[in-house]
Amino acid sequence: MGAVTAKRPVRSGTPSGGPLASPPGLTWRAKLRRDWPLVVMNLPMLLVVLAFWWVPALGNVIAFQDYNPYTGGIAGSPIIGFTNFALLFEDPQFLRAIGNTLSITAFQLIFYFPVPIMLALLLNSIASAKLRAFVQGVVYMPFFFSWVLVVAIFQQMFGGAGLLAQILRENGREAVDWMTNSDTFILLITSQTIWKDAGWGAIIFLAALSTIDPNLYEAAAVDGARRWRRMWHITLPGLRPVIILLLILRLGDALNVGFEQFMLQRSAVGSEASEVFDTFVYWSGMRTGDLGYGAAAGLFKGLVGLLLIVAANRVAHAFGERGVYSKS
């Protein structure tokens, strides 16, 4: 009864009960000697990234050249500095593409980003395992459809000769062709994105829900907390790190709203509504042959995405979250 239990010694730099942390002031050589098995394990992937990402990225030098692949190439094309970037900001089509892209990103952050979260909560609340598996299979399936098939399905449903138009005509009402209406194009592409990707996006949140301790729900129920209060005080705080991480990644990808989806519907609604950053790079660079101009637009997109990720990550740190990365 009077025995004294000896405390387990805690290693220097290791939080009590937490993972092993690096002692302060550890040199990079000491870290390399400690972590060399992890470095060797990741070496094949690092070589793939080097060969297919970093080496091709050196080709961005053509954004600062009057590039001609048939005469001088990269080595023989003259350097023109930031002329291509200056021309970009004088191009009304470029400014329109940025405006369309940012408005679509903002709209989808509000109306699409919460949908996978809500879908994951609904799937997690289904008691029957067989029914839950069936519903998951149904909502996951559209993710594997190509955009060609998705646009074709929506054309058959909401086009001028689609099912909805036929039902309206049979009831004496005027049919509406939603597939060619530029005013509602942002609603159309958001609904297509929700139908195609929301089920797959819910997988991450379902995985995060599985890590929440069930004892927390039982204790809250014993204390009299109802379903909505348990969701507000247990479920959503458990999902918060994942939500913030995905939100940071989405903000960093703000200028990337897709290519194929917009190219397939460009002729139907016109370039005024469907011109986004990726389609602008294609039409201004690849189709016209002005590769330096297109490379300048692509490089600008990458720099903006990097700045948005860094800014959003700092905001996450300010709210006490880890974010995408943190200093060790």
Side-chain angles (χ1 to χ4, degrees):
M1 296 296 292
V4 178
T5 303
K7 294 183 178 180
R8 189 173 64 178
V10 179
R11 295 183 61 178
S12 176
T14 304
S16 178
L20 185 64
S22 300
L26 197 64
T27 64
W28 69 270
R29 287 190 177 88
K31 292 180 180 179
L32 182 61
R33 285 195 298 268
R34 183 194 62 188
D35 298 332
W36 70 266
L38 298 177
V39 175
V40 172
M41 183 178 65
N42 286 279
L43 188 59
M45 190 60 205
L46 292 176
L47 294 176
V48 171
V49 171
L50 178 66
F52 293 99
W53 285 11
W54 290 106
V55 173
L58 298 176
N60 283 320
V61 69
I62 68 175
F64 305 94
Q65 293 179 326
D66 185 11
Y67 178 70
N68 191 326
Y70 305 108
T71 57
I74 294 180
S77 297
I79 300 293
I80 58 175
F82 291 92
T83 302
N84 285 327
F85 295 92
L87 293 175
L88 275 178
F89 290 98
E90 295 174 358
D91 190 345
Q93 293 184 355
F94 174 74
L95 300 178
R96 183 178 63 211
I98 288 184
N100 288 342
T101 303
L102 293 179
S103 62
I104 291 171
T105 298
F107 190 86
Q108 292 187 352
L109 276 178
I110 297 173
F111 295 100
Y112 166 72
F113 187 80
V115 173
I117 302 174
M118 294 185 290
L119 182 59
L121 294 175
L122 290 173
L123 291 173
N124 191 62
S125 65
I126 299 178
S128 173
K130 292 184 178 180
L131 179 59
R132 182 167 60 249
F134 173 76
V135 175
Q136 286 178 354
V138 171
V139 298
Y140 293 170
M141 190 178 300
F143 175 78
F144 301 98
F145 296 165
S146 68
W147 276 115
V148 176
L149 182 57
V150 172
V151 173
I153 292 174
F154 271 74
Q155 179 67 39
Q156 295 298 319
M157 294 295 295
F158 304 107
L163 179 62
L164 179 61
Q166 294 179 11
I167 293 175
L168 292 175
R169 291 192 189 98
E170 291 174 357
N171 289 275
R173 299 181 180 274
E174 183 181 359
V176 178
D177 187 358
W178 296 102
M179 300 298 293
T180 59
N181 190 341
S182 59
D183 296 330
T184 58
F185 181 66
I186 192 170
L187 295 174
L188 175 67
I189 59 172
T190 302
S191 61
Q192 291 171 350
T193 304
I194 290 174
W195 186 75
K196 185 178 187 297
D197 294 336
W200 187 258
I203 292 178
I204 299 177
F205 298 104
L206 284 172
L209 286 172
S210 66
T211 63
I212 300 177
D213 189 358
N215 294 325
L216 297 176
Y217 293 103
E218 296 176 3
V222 170
D223 290 339
R226 297 183 179 274
R227 179 186 297 271
W228 291 104
R229 189 165 291 275
R230 293 199 297 269
M231 183 183 70
W232 182 260
H233 291 286
I234 300 176
T235 306
L236 292 181
L239 291 177
R240 189 176 67 174
V242 178
I243 293 174
I244 291 179
L245 175 62
L246 294 181
L247 185 60
I248 292 174
L249 295 176
R250 184 65 190 94
L251 288 175
D253 215 23
L255 296 183
N256 184 20
V257 294
F259 173 78
E260 187 178 358
Q261 181 186 14
F262 293 89
M263 283 295 295
L264 291 169
Q265 301 174 91
R266 178 188 175 94
S267 60
V269 299
S271 61
E272 292 287 336
S274 64
E275 187 78 292
V276 293
F277 208 96
D278 289 336
T279 58
F280 172 81
V281 172
Y282 173 75
W283 285 102
S284 64
M286 301 298 296
R287 290 297 297 268
T288 63
D290 193 353
L291 300 181
Y293 189 71
L299 186 58
F300 171 79
K301 171 186 172 181
L303 292 176
V304 171
L306 176 62
L307 293 176
L308 287 175
I309 284 184
V310 171
N313 198 68
R314 290 194 175 185
V315 172
H317 290 168
F319 283 94
E321 298 295 337
R322 181 177 178 83
V324 178
Y325 63 90
S326 60
K327 294 182 179 179
S328 58

